[in-house]
Amino acid sequence: MAEQIKTFKQLEDIKKAYLAAQEKYDYIVYVCGGAGCVAAKCDVIRKTLIDETQKAGIGDTVSVVQTGCMGTCAVGPVMLVTPGNIFYTELTADKVKKIVTGHLAGGKVVEEYTYYDAALDKHVPKMDDIDFFKKQVKIALRNCGAMAYNDIAAYIARDGYQAACKALTELSPQKVVDEVMASGLRGRGGAGFPTGIKWQAAHDSKGDRKYMVCNADEGDPGAFMDRAILDGDPHSVVEGMLLGGYAIGADTGYIYIRAEYPVAVERIGDAIDQARAHGLLGKDIFGSGFDYDLEIRIGAGVYVCGEETALMASIEGNRGEPRQKPPLPFQKGLFGCPTNINNVETLANIPAIVKNGGKWYAQYGTEKSKGTKVFALAGDVVMTGIVEVPIGTPMREIIFNICGGVPDGKKFKAVQSGGPSGGVITDLDLDVPTDYQSLQQLGAIVGSGILIVMNEDTCMVDSARYFMEFIREESCGKCNACRLGTKRMLEILERIVDGEGEEGDVELLEELCEVVAETSLCGLGQTAPNAVMSTIRYFRDEYDEHIRDGICRAGVCFTQRDKKAYPQRLRGRVL
Amino acid sequence: MDGKTVTAAKNGCEGCNQEAFDEIGNIIDLYKDKEGSLIQVLHRAQGIYGYLPLELQSYIADGLGLSLSEVSGVVTFYPFFKTKPQGKHTISICMGTACYVRGGKKLVETIRDLLGIEVGETTEDGMFTFVVERCIGACGLAPAVMVDDTVYRQVDEEMLKAIIEKYRKGEVSA
């Protein structure tokens, strides 16, 4: 049986022992095992490293550690060598062999395989000097890519479970809620509701049983930040859930993970097992008398299950259809009991907030939007991957300075922020701070943190059609406005991109948008028109060109559109 | 639920794989007293049987004390649950935003030409099932294609042909 951790001193001892063991090595090589690097065959890299260091006779002095996502998906597989923080990118087995003989055995950095900065036209070997890393502030991602994701000792060595120990042994549940309230943290899943207020409500509500739920049903197309945390730092989520359970007085927590993330299911499962084996879940945690355990629930491919009432219905084993609110989950949630639901990234922030205090977290960000936010960048941008920056960092800074701008000499056209519920931001507004209020004024949202960068070859009408097609497919069909409204809007958008648009179509779209937004039952329908409204607002001329002149300036519409690809897709899979 | 109904369902399914049904029966016993465990049972049943035919849905309904319509309602609501046998390999083309803007829809066309099947269908030889995913969370690698559990990054038409050939020749096991 594993050691039962009951005291702060035990955590400290595990940390000391782990760090001492690390110090024995001449080099520690962190190989990124994030989803991007796995697809780029990082397992070959790791194996080659181990084999080659053995061959070179330095197997005992080099430690090879597989980590979670380092964020630089575009240049994977990647690895970091310490001491020195040398960052090697786009690795192959041959490159690794040369790095072993040159750097690990020979002591000389192999500069030609280190990170290449296209803007500066030179290699930048040290991670600390690379713009992509040095402009980030990592709180939710503090452990992602920096430690072995599958080892509870590695997590404890980075001060893991200290917050839980402090809370359960020293703080009252109300005090934990107070810290979260003081941090100004808002829900990072999309809606941005203040977490402290949610926790206070769940704490105050009366019930024989209460539940804590983690929403890990990251379904927005373009979002992969929660996946990075689940895969790369599962213990942060477990500790966040433990703190949440203690704060609101729950005895059980559910982590609802989408079926498309089998790796996350496995790693969270392992983390729960490890925590349980060490007495960090189960009975009398930290000798405080508090009993709490976690269970995993796996989704089954439905987008709307990310909506909290639908998610709860799905955990209960039913069709994942949303229901009317109120009652809110804290009043009547899972199995009719008071329930608190938080997103993965929100929960990953909690241990750091409880450990360092709410005030510490609130020093980052803007006056009204505190802390940091993780963004997932994809599309036409040099560094596709994951970044975490203080809220308020202007979009231009994120896209051009941190992520290297638009590749292949193409011109930037717009960035789609917030996925299907969000909107576009054009060049004119790139210097606006990315906080909740400012983006809302622009007709976009921070949302879950998706940034899809689009270059001049992207047609904005077609992108609106794409998002509407997505929403139409994912509408559960329960309420009329969403079921019928999204279909009608899609039909209009389809005829515009097919060259059959009519005068007045845009006005009709606007009217439909308003009705669907105001009369839909849940968040999916209420935000369904956003992508359309936003593209009409900023690219009305493109709509008019399609309708009046039969021109698509990006050269996307009228010819290539594939009518069959999407509509049959979803229900097609059920057959 | 009494044992009789379960037995009736068992006997009522001629030609079904009895061993698999028995295994699923054990899982049902494990879960039947726990509230809200239908989806978990379905996940595990599909893991064992490969898909969820009506006979199996009826067997599960009886075992859990639910009506067939409740079970069927849940099965058909979630795209992850299949009611028809699937191919040996599942090819998923990602149609998330990033993959879409970077050429995902061309890949759909390629698969359709190459395998002669539509989205959701399985090739006649039972080798491949072709599906389209809304987002597999590999947006940094767009366009991404997933075969079974393996993700292939920045796939173009030529690569896709080579990948399919590899599976067809059995160079990659299921």
Side-chain angles (χ1 to χ4, degrees):
Chain A
M1 195 171 159
E3 178 192 355
Q4 297 296 296
I5 300 171
K6 293 282 175 202
T7 64
F8 200 80
K9 186 170 176 306
Q10 280 174 289
L11 287 173
E12 286 280 281
D13 290 344
I14 293 171
K15 178 179 170 177
K16 271 185 208 148
Y18 187 86
L19 295 178
Q22 296 266 290
E23 265 180 23
K24 285 194 306 205
Y25 296 105
D26 291 342
Y27 290 104
I28 300 172
V29 184
Y30 297 93
V31 181
C32 177
C37 288
V38 168
K41 307 254 183 296
C42 67
D43 50 336
V44 176
I45 302 304
R46 199 167 58 100
K47 193 170 170 302
T48 312
L49 257 177
I50 293 168
D51 291 350
E52 291 298 314
T53 46
Q54 292 291 356
K55 263 193 234 165
I58 51 170
D60 297 336
T61 59
V62 176
S63 166
V64 178
V65 176
Q66 187 168 13
T67 72
C69 183
M70 295 185 184
T72 51
C73 306
V75 293
V78 299
M79 68 183 194
L80 178 72
V81 180
T82 62
N85 274 354
I86 305 301
F87 191 54
Y88 290 105
T89 58
E90 297 183 86
L91 292 166
T92 60
D94 283 341
K95 287 184 184 177
V96 170
K97 283 179 194 166
K98 286 182 188 151
I99 292 167
V100 170
T101 46
H103 187 168
L104 303 179
K108 200 165 175 304
V109 174
V110 188
E111 202 171 309
E112 56 183 308
Y113 299 148
T114 58
Y115 177 79
Y116 176 74
D117 189 322
L120 303 172
D121 190 23
K122 66 171 187 182
H123 288 276
V124 186
K126 279 176 87 97
M127 190 181 242
D128 322 78
D129 297 334
I130 299 171
D131 280 346
F132 179 81
F133 293 106
K134 74 180 177 195
K135 291 180 174 159
Q136 296 193 49
V137 176
K138 294 195 175 188
I139 297 175
L141 295 178
R142 63 195 177 282
N143 296 323
C144 268
M147 61 163 210
Y149 56 78
N150 56 358
D151 184 357
I152 192 169
Y155 181 70
I156 291 171
R158 292 179 64 86
D159 297 343
Y161 290 108
Q162 285 189 10
C165 182
K166 176 175 147 187
L168 269 63
T169 57
E170 293 171 23
L171 306 178
S172 67
Q174 181 58 52
K175 193 77 192 35
V176 176
V177 175
D178 289 345
E179 286 300 337
V180 175
M181 193 79 90
S183 73
L185 176 68
R186 295 171 61 158
R188 298 291 190 238
F193 191 82
T195 308
I197 295 178
K198 228 184 203 182
W199 282 28
Q200 187 67 61
H203 171 272
D204 293 345
S205 61
K206 302 270 180 283
D208 295 339
R209 279 196 92 167
K210 292 184 190 176
Y211 292 103
M212 182 78 193
V213 174
C214 169
N215 183 347
D217 191 51
E218 181 177 60
D220 281 346
F224 49 108
M225 53 296 259
D226 288 352
R227 176 183 196 163
I229 295 171
L230 294 164
D231 287 2
D233 188 17
H235 279 288
S236 271
V237 181
V238 172
E239 191 181 359
M241 283 292 283
L242 173 56
L243 287 161
Y246 177 70
I248 68 162
D251 61 5
T252 306
Y254 289 95
I255 302 180
Y256 185 92
I257 310 178
R258 65 193 294 232
E260 289 86 340
Y261 287 178
V263 176
V265 173
E266 188 187 313
R267 291 185 186 172
I268 286 280
D270 288 348
I272 291 174
D273 289 346
Q274 287 176 11
R276 208 178 273 146
H278 286 88
L280 299 173
L281 290 173
K283 300 270 174 218
D284 191 25
I285 303 166
F286 287 114
S288 64
F290 176 62
D291 302 338
Y292 184 72
D293 216 331
L294 291 178
E295 282 188 35
I296 295 177
R297 285 289 183 275
I298 303 169
V302 172
Y303 176 68
V304 78
C305 285
E307 197 278 340
E308 57 187 8
T309 58
L311 188 148
M312 291 189 297
S314 186
I315 292 179
E316 290 169 1
N318 303 321
R319 291 164 68 96
E321 288 172 349
R323 62 156 172 79
Q324 183 76 45
K325 288 190 282 191
L328 291 159
F330 79 86
Q331 297 162 318
K332 198 167 182 238
L334 201 55
F335 302 111
C337 302
T339 302
N340 180 63
I341 303 183
N342 292 121
N343 146 277
V344 172
E345 187 189 332
T346 314
L347 288 167
N349 278 304
I350 297 287
I353 289 171
V354 174
K355 178 171 177 289
N356 301 316
K359 270 195 192 138
W360 164 83
Y361 187 79
Q363 70 175 302
Y364 300 103
T366 64
E367 183 62 36
K368 283 187 179 161
S369 302
K370 303 293 185 194
T372 57
K373 174 79 191 91
V374 181
F375 289 96
L377 280 101
D380 302 311
V381 61
V382 170
M383 188 62 82
T384 53
I386 291 178
V387 300
E388 182 172 359
V389 291
I391 293 184
T393 307
M395 209 61 96
R396 192 182 301 282
E397 171 86 4
I398 298 172
I399 296 169
F400 288 90
N401 297 346
I402 297 178
C403 292
V406 181
D408 308 326
K410 296 275 184 185
K411 223 175 113 201
F412 172 86
K413 184 168 193 174
V415 55
Q416 216 283 348
S417 171
S421 319
V424 290
I425 295 166
T426 61
D427 193 47
L428 292 175
D429 298 316
L430 280 185
D431 295 311
V432 171
T434 48
D435 59 55
Y436 291 90
Q437 296 78 12
S438 307
L439 289 195
Q440 202 156 15
Q441 278 169 14
L442 294 175
I445 55 169
V446 174
S448 51
I450 302 168
L451 298 177
I452 306 280
V453 181
M454 295 169 173
N455 69 16
E456 55 196 323
D457 295 338
T458 313
C459 171
M460 302 320 286
V461 185
D462 185 56
S463 89
R465 184 200 61 80
Y466 167 84
F467 283 115
M468 190 51 69
E469 197 159 24
F470 178 85
I471 297 283
R472 202 281 315 263
E473 290 294 335
E474 298 297 345
S475 171
C476 78
K478 186 170 177 175
C479 72
N480 290 344
C482 178
R483 184 180 69 236
L484 302 174
T486 55
K487 187 165 169 55
R488 292 289 97 85
M489 285 194 278
L490 179 62
E491 283 167 2
I492 297 171
L493 288 163
E494 282 186 332
R495 71 171 180 246
I496 297 176
V497 301
D498 278 347
E500 291 157 12
E502 294 159 14
E503 213 50 57
D505 271 354
V506 176
E507 288 69 25
L508 191 55
L509 268 177
E510 285 175 322
E511 193 186 335
L512 275 166
C513 283
E514 199 180 318
V515 173
V516 173
E518 283 179 11
T519 57
S520 289
L521 177 66
C522 82
L524 183 129
Q526 287 157 12
T527 60
N530 286 4
V532 178
M533 289 199 291
S534 162
T535 46
I536 292 178
R537 177 167 164 187
Y538 294 103
F539 295 96
R540 172 74 199 239
D541 48 344
E542 289 199 16
Y543 278 86
D544 290 341
E545 280 169 13
H546 278 75
I547 295 169
R548 290 178 194 155
D549 312 320
I551 294 172
C552 170
R553 62 172 87 169
V556 173
C557 301
F558 310 133
T559 50
Q560 310 168 3
R561 211 178 66 73
D562 177 3
K563 276 188 191 168
K564 286 180 183 164
Y566 226 64
Q568 292 185 355
R569 177 191 60 107
L570 208 141
R571 299 307 153 194
R573 276 193 291 164
V574 183
L575 291 173
Chain B
M1 178 56 46
D2 61 36
K4 272 182 205 163
T5 342
V6 176
T7 322
K10 267 183 194 170
N11 296 338
C13 179
E14 293 291 322
C16 291
N17 177 347
Q18 195 56 46
E19 224 170 273
F21 267 59
D22 289 345
E23 203 182 335
I24 293 164
N26 292 336
I27 287 166
I28 293 172
D29 287 341
L30 215 63
Y31 281 100
K32 68 180 174 197
D33 297 325
K34 275 186 85 177
E35 199 180 356
S37 41
L38 172 59
I39 291 177
Q40 282 169 292
V41 172
L42 292 175
H43 268 295
R44 297 192 62 176
Q46 183 164 288
I48 292 165
Y49 206 79
Y51 68 109
L52 302 167
L54 205 58
E55 293 81 10
L56 184 52
Q57 293 177 34
S58 156
Y59 178 63
I60 291 170
D62 283 347
L64 290 175
L66 300 169
S67 70
L68 175 59
S69 69
E70 276 174 278
V71 174
S72 195
V74 169
V75 168
T76 52
F77 183 80
Y78 294 97
F80 190 83
F81 296 127
K82 319 286 184 191
T83 53
K84 280 188 177 167
Q86 300 295 295
K88 191 172 165 202
H89 301 290
T90 302
I91 303 176
S92 325
I93 306 283
C94 183
M95 276 292 222
T97 322
C99 292
Y100 179 79
V101 301
R102 291 198 133 186
K105 60 181 175 179
K106 269 197 197 129
L107 298 178
V108 170
E109 201 52 53
T110 310
I111 292 274
R112 198 184 281 144
D113 290 348
L114 234 49
L115 300 180
I117 49 172
E118 292 295 326
V119 177
E121 292 179 353
T122 302
T123 51
E124 263 177 30
D125 59 2
M127 195 68 178
F128 297 107
T129 297
F130 169 32
V131 299
V132 168
E133 296 280 351
R134 51 189 188 169
C135 183
I136 59 171
C139 316
L141 321 167
V145 172
M146 193 160 81
V147 185
D148 304 329
D149 284 339
T150 310
V151 178
Y152 295 89
R153 56 192 246 148
Q154 286 150 15
V155 176
D156 58 25
E157 288 157 68
E158 287 307 309
M159 266 175 82
L160 190 54
K161 281 180 196 165
I163 291 167
I164 290 175
E165 208 42 43
K166 222 167 57 169
Y167 282 88
R168 201 171 252 155
K169 283 186 185 157
E171 285 168 18
V172 191
S173 54

